[in-house]
Amino acid sequence: MTGSSDRDELAKFGYQPSFERRTSKFASFAVAFAFVSIATGIFTTYGSVLNSSGPLGIWTWPIAVVGQLAVAFVIGSLASRIPVTGYAYQWTSRLANPVLGWIIGWISFMFLAVVVVAVDYTVASTVLPVLLSYEATTGITWAITAVILIGQALLIGISQRWTEKVNNTAVTAELVGMVLLTVLLLVVAAFRSQMDFGNLWSRGAIPAEGYWSFGDWTSAGPWMLGFLLGAFTIVGFESAANLAEETNDPERVVPRAMWQAVLASGVLGFLFLIAVTLAAGDPIALAESGTPIADVIENTLGSVVSTLLLLLVVLAIFACGLVIMLTGTRLTWAMSRDERFPGWKQLKQVSPRYGTPLKATIMYVVLAEVILGLFSLFSEDALFTLFGAATLLPAVIYAATVALYLAKRRSLPANGKFELGKWEAPTLVVAVIWLVFELALFRDTSFRDAWLYVLALLVIGAVYLVGLLATRGRSALDMPDMHSIDAELDHKSPTPTDSSAPTNQKAQA
């Protein structure tokens, strides 16, 4: 019954099934959790927080989690009502207008293209050199990152089932591993009298004067910069929505996977941050390390456990990049299915042999390799630029999605499977305040290169959009068979003969 219901729901949006619905509840959660990947985010950004805000900066984490949790609830409400692959692109196209939807889709595509490079680059530049004791030159870092990208693409292109198995295994290992590490750090540090509770309130080497300042028009204060820890890490939970057409009962499963992933990541991540900070020793000396988390683990638990931590981080980062690439290929395929992406005739195809959007996967990994090469050649601080763009872009996407929900919330059709009810208003207030505050972080001049990247890709997208409109007219951006959602928004019952409904010429994938 569920499969038939899912097919009927998909047909309301003008599409026929293109994938098998194999994604389970845990697999949906695992996709959202792997994208967030607290092991990846904390390992990567903890050192930056020590240098910008001191150990005291970890207290920004719970605030960021509450803000992102509110965003997850809002996005979950949209995902439940429009359970179609393409997530923000689909929601904006159908509830606002197709032009704005295309712009949001392109921004989402830009985010996914750069963040997969940023995540995989971390393995080659900061983790493997410590684990395998080699010097991370530019050439070696580029080569290893390129190989990792190709490996992820091969897995995604050949088998969705094995992609999910690998990810489920990695997420299980990350959950168990992070819990064990947190407990071991607290117990061993306490037993050896290595806990320093003063670290939790220490500013490290950051001066007291101006610490709590919001900064000026071109810079953020030290306290504000600490929020980048949570802003970079707690993102990507909406990736579960991009597998909506491969998930059983997505209206119910996908929203829950989102908020559960944020909550689990937030609670476990904060406990781990407290444990690491308590056992950090001298925070000023630790801030000079390129791998502060690994150093704390080694000093407290020994080299064997430190090595196991690095192996766990490698596995978590690989899974994170895998899910990012999976999400990117599905978005590319969804926009191509609607004939709204460059090369759509080829990229909308689903491989009859593998049951995956193989050509979209190939295109995506080639683009990722190009981005990797450009940053390696022209950026003196490629990793920070990548992280900056990967933090800025989702904030823009979330802000646009929440604004859309605000505009349409009173007319959205109810489905009884995931609704905010009386908590809608306070949830929206929290989400809006958090997103305004988060976007204010990026006025800092250190994000100049990240803004330039965003601007460059927006120009590329604008050129294509103008060309599409010039050659095919406004109808080129019409969505297939939108009568279902339009009718409910207009408070009338949808009928197949509704003269306002566009024809279903693009329904076949």
Side-chain angles (χ1 to χ4, degrees), residues 98-99 102 338-340 464-479 506:
V99 174
W102 190 93
D338 292 339
E339 303 178 8
R340 301 173 73 180
Y464 174 78
L465 180 60
V466 170
L468 186 65
L469 293 172
T471 56
R472 295 169 54 192
R474 176 64 175 74
S475 61
L477 294 180
D478 286 344
M479 297 293 290
K506 301 180 183 179

Side-chain angles (χ1 to χ4, degrees), residues 174-470:
E174 183 173 0
L175 283 167
V176 174
M178 293 298 288
V179 170
L180 288 176
L181 275 172
T182 301
V183 172
L184 283 173
L185 275 172
L186 292 173
V187 171
V188 175
F191 180 78
R192 294 181 176 177
S193 300
Q194 293 178 346
M195 280 190 176
D196 187 348
F197 285 90
N199 280 350
L200 296 178
W201 318 107
S202 170
R203 290 185 296 270
I206 311 302
E209 184 179 355
Y211 182 85
W212 302 102
S213 169
F214 282 89
D216 53 34
W217 290 106
T218 58
S219 64
W223 174 72
M224 285 193 70
L225 290 175
F227 282 91
L228 293 174
L229 175 64
F232 172 75
T233 304
I234 312 294
V235 296
F237 47 83
E238 73 282 4
S239 57
N242 222 16
L243 296 180
E245 295 179 35
E246 299 165 68
T247 304
N248 292 307
D249 194 15
E251 299 95 334
R252 195 186 312 273
V253 171
V254 168
R256 291 181 178 178
M258 290 184 192
W259 73 258
Q260 288 171 355
V262 174
L263 185 61
S265 299
V267 173
L268 182 54
F270 190 52
L271 292 175
F272 181 68
L273 282 169
I274 290 177
V276 168
T277 304
L278 284 172
D282 183 358
I284 297 177
L286 185 64
E288 298 176 0
S289 171
T291 54
I293 298 289
D295 290 352
V296 173
I297 300 297
E298 183 172 2
N299 293 335
T300 306
L301 304 177
S303 59
V304 174
V305 178
S306 177
T307 300
L308 291 175
L309 166 69
L310 292 175
L311 289 173
L312 175 66
V313 171
V314 170
L315 182 62
I317 292 177
F318 182 85
C320 181
L322 183 70
V323 166
I324 294 168
M325 187 176 292
L326 176 66
T327 307
T329 60
R330 294 306 189 264
L331 175 61
T332 301
W333 173 83
M335 295 181 71
S336 298
R337 174 175 59 175
D338 292 339
E339 303 178 8
R340 301 173 73 180
F341 198 86
W344 59 267
K345 290 183 179 180
Q346 297 295 320
L347 300 180
K348 73 173 185 176
Q349 297 176 14
V350 175
S351 170
R353 179 177 180 181
Y354 300 114
T356 65
L358 182 59
K359 292 183 178 180
T361 304
I362 294 172
M363 185 283 300
Y364 186 87
V365 72
V366 169
L367 176 63
E369 299 286 10
V370 171
I371 292 173
L372 171 64
L374 289 175
F375 274 103
S376 297
L377 288 174
F378 300 112
S379 177
E380 295 181 358
D381 193 1
L383 189 57
F384 182 82
T385 302
L386 288 170
F387 286 145
T391 310
L392 168 61
L393 286 167
V396 173
I397 296 167
Y398 293 155
T401 305
V402 170
L404 172 66
Y405 187 89
L406 274 170
K408 296 289 185 177
R409 66 190 180 95
R410 297 191 182 279
S411 56
L412 282 172
N415 64 8
K417 293 189 175 183
F418 187 85
E419 297 171 10
L420 298 178
K422 64 181 181 180
W423 294 102
E424 183 182 59
T427 299
L428 281 168
V429 170
V430 173
V432 170
I433 292 174
W434 161 245
L435 289 171
V436 170
F437 178 81
E438 183 184 12
L439 287 171
L441 295 173
F442 299 102
R443 72 186 187 279
D444 195 275
T445 53
S446 60
F447 292 99
R448 181 182 63 86
D449 288 346
W451 280 109
L452 290 176
Y453 166 82
V454 173
L455 179 61
L457 286 210
L458 279 176
V459 169
I460 294 173
V463 170
Y464 174 78
L465 180 60
V466 170
L468 186 65
L469 293 172

Side-chain angles (χ1 to χ4, degrees), residues 120 124 128 139-155 318 325 365 369 372:
D120 288 347
L128 290 180
I140 292 176
T141 300
W142 178 89
I144 292 177
T145 306
V147 170
I148 294 171
L149 288 167
I150 292 172
Q152 291 164 337
L154 285 173
L155 190 58
F318 182 85
M325 187 176 292
V365 72
E369 299 286 10
L372 171 64

